[in-house]
Amino acid sequence: MPEQPTAYIGRFAPSPSGPLHFGSLIAALASFLDARQANGHWLVRIDDIDPPREMSGAGDLILHTLEQHGLQWDGTALWQSQRHQAYQHLLHTLTKQGLIYSCTCTRQAVKAMGGVYNGHCREQTPASAEPNAALRLKLYDLPPPLQQLPNELVFVDQIQGHQRQDLAREVGDAIVQRKDGLFGYQLAVVADDLYQGITHVVRGADLLPVTARQIRFFQMLQQPAPHYAHVPVAALDGRKLSKQNQAPALDNSRAADNIWQALRFLRQAPPLELRGETVETLLQWGCQHWAPEQLEGTGHTLSIAEP
């Protein structure tokens, strides 16, 4: 955690399922520039909470790539794999509040519900959990003293604008511990954002759909949620750049050019005379001129050929 309090604490939290690619760099750079322009802290967290999806050594490779691109974080990187005790404590707290129940529904069953979990197992308690049961967190129609929280959650994203999501009809209750015993992403990310005092989250628009449920999580814990800004994700030939789509790893020997291209993708329009300059020079310019409003109205996805 940062040693000194600050009005701004941002973070970049990649999953070590593979090396960083250009799409990852866009999210990291936007988050870094937003924090540095605000004279805030920028933290890095490795979301290694899902071992079956992770690539051996990817976490260290990600940290090395960030360093090669001049994206130096404050303090020590946090690894989710070292936070299981904290997640279990939070799960226990939510259980005492009557917000957790066991669920034996399969993915096929949820698909038959129309893709949104309909609360089929809501009357079950964690104590009645079968060996292959998951644990879900209630997000809507909450018990006292949270019953005043509406099912519809509204928030304003710094880049994507006004957002509205009906948690009952569009989301359903969130899994916080899977059937295999692994902790759910929604539980871990909120626990870690609270632990690190995160005030601002700048990330890819592919995570915009899960933001409302994370804000509701903060509301239930009676804690302020971070401010959110979701930058467009990069696409090539209509497909989002991702590890699942075999997006090529960043070439660290071309770090300066990678930063240049990422600045252009983010609509920051670096002057042509900066082309070929060092990573340090490009980042200094980027911090001084960072203007996220240039991305307003660009939508959730942008082709890497557009800028």
Side-chain angles (χ1 to χ4, degrees):
M1 295 179 65
E3 295 181 358
Q4 300 295 328
T6 177
Y8 187 117
I9 304 177
R11 50 84 163 168
F12 175 59
S15 170
S17 54
L20 288 187
H21 51 77
F22 185 69
S24 310
L25 179 64
I26 289 165
L29 180 61
S31 176
F32 176 87
L33 296 178
D34 206 59
R36 292 296 183 243
Q37 189 183 75
N39 294 317
H41 288 289
W42 187 66
L43 311 181
V44 168
R45 182 168 74 222
I46 302 298
D47 284 2
D48 59 335
I49 198 173
D50 191 357
R53 294 183 58 249
E54 294 161 15
M55 185 184 85
S56 178
D60 290 328
L61 182 60
I62 287 170
L63 296 178
H64 177 69
T65 299
L66 290 173
E67 290 177 326
Q68 292 298 301
H69 285 76
L71 303 178
Q72 185 58 55
W73 56 95
D74 295 303
T76 303
L78 184 72
W79 296 71
Q80 283 190 331
S81 57
Q82 300 172 3
R83 296 266 298 149
H84 286 189
Q85 187 174 355
Y87 305 148
Q88 188 62 54
H89 176 74
L90 179 55
L91 188 57
H92 179 66
T93 298
L94 294 167
T95 300
K96 289 196 300 182
Q97 295 175 342
L99 296 170
I100 301 294
Y101 63 94
S102 77
C103 177
T104 54
C105 295
T106 63
R107 290 184 179 180
Q108 290 78 8
V110 175
K111 185 176 180 180
M113 297 172 191
V116 176
Y117 184 69
N118 64 8
H120 178 268
C121 297
R122 263 196 164 208
E123 298 307 313
Q124 299 190 79
T125 65
S128 66
E130 298 180 13
N132 292 324
L135 294 179
R136 287 187 184 270
L137 171 71
K138 296 177 182 178
L139 295 179
Y140 61 93
D141 292 342
L142 300 176
L146 302 172
Q147 71 273 20
Q148 77 280 4
L149 292 175
N151 291 347
E152 188 175 68
L153 197 145
V154 178
F155 67 99
V156 178
D157 185 88
Q158 183 183 0
I159 293 172
Q160 302 295 337
H162 188 84
Q163 304 294 315
R164 184 186 302 270
Q165 195 170 54
D166 189 311
L167 296 172
R169 297 181 179 181
E170 300 176 61
V171 178
D173 293 332
I175 289 179
V176 288
Q177 190 168 41
R178 296 175 2 185
K179 293 181 180 181
D180 57 10
L182 294 176
F183 292 103
Y185 169 74
Q186 308 302 336
L187 178 82
V189 69
V190 172
D192 292 338
D193 282 349
L194 282 172
Y195 173 70
Q196 295 187 294
I198 301 300
T199 62
H200 293 73
V201 174
V202 181
R203 59 187 181 184
D206 53 331
L207 289 171
L208 185 59
V210 304
T211 302
R213 70 196 72 173
Q214 291 173 10
I215 294 175
R216 172 50 50 89
F217 210 142
F218 282 103
Q219 291 176 338
M220 290 191 295
L221 295 172
Q222 300 181 46
Q223 297 292 331
H227 300 281
Y228 291 93
H230 289 82
V231 301
V233 297
L236 181 63
D237 298 329
R239 300 177 67 201
K240 184 188 81 170
L241 288 183
S242 68
K243 295 161 189 173
Q244 291 79 9
N245 291 336
Q246 288 79 50
L250 290 170
D251 183 349
N252 289 338
S253 69
R254 296 175 53 85
D257 189 60
N258 293 337
I259 293 292
W260 166 269
Q261 296 295 346
L263 284 170
R264 294 188 66 227
F265 178 91
L266 290 167
R267 301 293 174 93
Q268 299 306 295
L272 287 175
E273 55 266 28
L274 284 181
R275 189 78 187 265
E277 288 288 348
T278 65
V279 164
E280 292 74 16
T281 299
L282 288 167
L283 290 178
Q284 183 179 26
W285 182 92
C287 290
Q288 292 173 348
H289 297 86
W290 172 239
E293 62 271 15
Q294 297 299 322
L295 289 166
E296 294 176 6
T298 54
H300 296 182
T301 305
L302 281 176
S303 168
I304 59 175
E306 280 193 42

